[in-house]
Amino acid sequence: MAGATAPAAAPRSALESAPESSPKSPPNRLILACGDHRLDLGTPLVMGVLNITPDSFSDGGDFFAPDAALRRAEQMVADGADIIDVGGESTRPGAAAVDVADELGRVVPVIEVLARRLPVPISVDTSKPEVMRAAADAGAALINDVRALRVPGALAAAAALDLPVCLMHMQGDPRTMQTDPAYADVVAEVRGFLAERIAACVGVGLTRERLLVDPGFGFGKRLAHNLGLLARLAELKALGQPLLVGLSRKSMLGALTGRPVDERLAAGLAAAVIAARGGARILRVHDVAATVDALKVVAAVEAVESGAAAAVSVAWGDSH
């Protein structure tokens, strides 16, 4: 939420405990260093989605022009986004692949502008090592990879860049992932996959302090699988990495409510709150302002549960 990011000088690691002397963070809160920014993961944060694509499932084509992308990003920051996630390839079910040159042409100019203009870190949503490197050069401070660094060369690129990385679970690939997804135990299998990818990252020199994990709602999963993951999300905390979750406007919400993609806000807010209560530290969303408000309620309840009732009174007052 707004105010969660601040410039930082040469952090020792991407993920560290805030010192007890920190005036803004209680002791032992996790701080994610993203370039010159530090994100306090002690309360759930919001990652705003910015798709520079003609065919994304929710907003494809809306922000394809650079000026429109900038205006959208500025609005999301004004609404309270802590991170802006820029993607140039749709990963909706059945989406066609995008070549490197096209993806570079879509995301790099936008990232260059956003990194200069915005007071929050910019994430690049990509699986291609060439795009990771170019995006980092343009100012991206986090890599968000739906393929969990499995594309040849991606592990080496991420290790060389030494940026925080989000590793996501996906069964299959976007073109075929929803054809016939199957699991014996979806939570155990997702947890096992993510544990393997964490180990692979550590094996090439990426420290665990650089890593976030995402269970991949809607990526090779039926409705029952998605609901099982959401209900048992807290079990993924055993991995020891911060959880990033994307549920915004997804088809599972349409299946549950019968509503089209542009009428899923209420369902998305319910899912975001459930995920945050299950341990998600970053929520990747399209509807930033409403999600920020919902997560303020979550943060207040978490503060009371942690014994920080006095801090709640100071921050929000004693209104009835």
Side-chain angles (χ1 to χ4, degrees), residues 192-214:
F193 169 86
L194 292 173
E196 290 176 0
R197 298 313 300 158
I198 291 167
C201 289
V202 172
V204 297
L206 272 168
T207 65
R208 292 182 68 99
E209 289 77 17
R210 293 290 192 212
L211 304 177
L212 303 95
V213 294
D214 179 347

Side-chain angles (χ1 to χ4, degrees), residues 149-233:
L149 302 181
R150 287 181 291 163
V151 170
L155 262 176
L161 293 169
D162 201 28
L163 295 178
V165 179
C166 182
L167 306 167
M168 196 196 79
H169 174 273
M170 173 169 54
Q171 187 180 94
D173 62 58
R175 285 163 295 286
T176 62
M177 63 187 181
Q178 292 304 114
T179 301
D180 189 24
Y183 301 86
D185 181 333
V186 65
V187 176
E189 291 176 47
V190 168
R191 185 174 61 234
F193 169 86
L194 292 173
E196 290 176 0
R197 298 313 300 158
I198 291 167
C201 289
V202 172
V204 297
L206 272 168
T207 65
R208 292 182 68 99
E209 289 77 17
R210 293 290 192 212
L211 304 177
L212 303 95
V213 294
D214 179 347
F217 287 97
F219 284 82
K221 299 170 183 73
R222 299 181 185 276
L223 177 60
H225 302 142
N226 289 314
L227 293 174
L229 277 169
L230 187 56
R232 296 168 57 192
L233 192 64

Side-chain angles (χ1 to χ4, degrees), residues 24-43:
K24 295 184 178 180
S25 302
N28 300 320
R29 279 195 170 180
L30 294 178
I31 304 297
L32 180 70
C34 293
D36 293 331
H37 302 272
R38 289 161 64 88
L39 297 176
D40 184 348
L41 300 182
T43 55

Side-chain angles (χ1 to χ4, degrees), residues 59-206:
D59 53 3
D62 290 353
F63 312 113
F64 201 53
D67 288 348
L70 175 60
R71 289 193 299 272
R72 174 60 175 164
E74 289 175 332
Q75 183 60 58
M76 288 193 288
V77 172
D79 288 342
D82 302 290
I83 312 167
I84 301 297
D85 190 43
V86 178
E89 178 178 15
S90 174
T91 52
R92 62 177 172 78
V98 173
D99 66 30
V100 171
D102 283 346
E103 190 174 344
L104 287 169
R106 292 174 183 181
V107 303
V108 170
V110 172
I111 291 172
E112 286 177 339
V113 173
L114 299 188
R116 291 197 308 267
R117 297 278 292 270
L118 300 183
V120 302
I122 309 303
S123 168
V124 62
D125 181 354
T126 189
S127 298
K128 299 180 178 70
E130 301 92 339
V131 178
M132 294 175 189
R133 288 189 287 265
D137 288 343
L142 187 150
I143 298 166
N144 183 19
D145 185 2
V146 300
R147 294 175 177 84
L149 302 181
R150 287 181 291 163
V151 170
L155 262 176
L161 293 169
D162 201 28
L163 295 178
V165 179
C166 182
L167 306 167
M168 196 196 79
H169 174 273
M170 173 169 54
Q171 187 180 94
D173 62 58
R175 285 163 295 286
T176 62
M177 63 187 181
Q178 292 304 114
T179 301
D180 189 24
Y183 301 86
D185 181 333
V186 65
V187 176
E189 291 176 47
V190 168
R191 185 174 61 234
F193 169 86
L194 292 173
E196 290 176 0
R197 298 313 300 158
I198 291 167
C201 289
V202 172
V204 297
L206 272 168

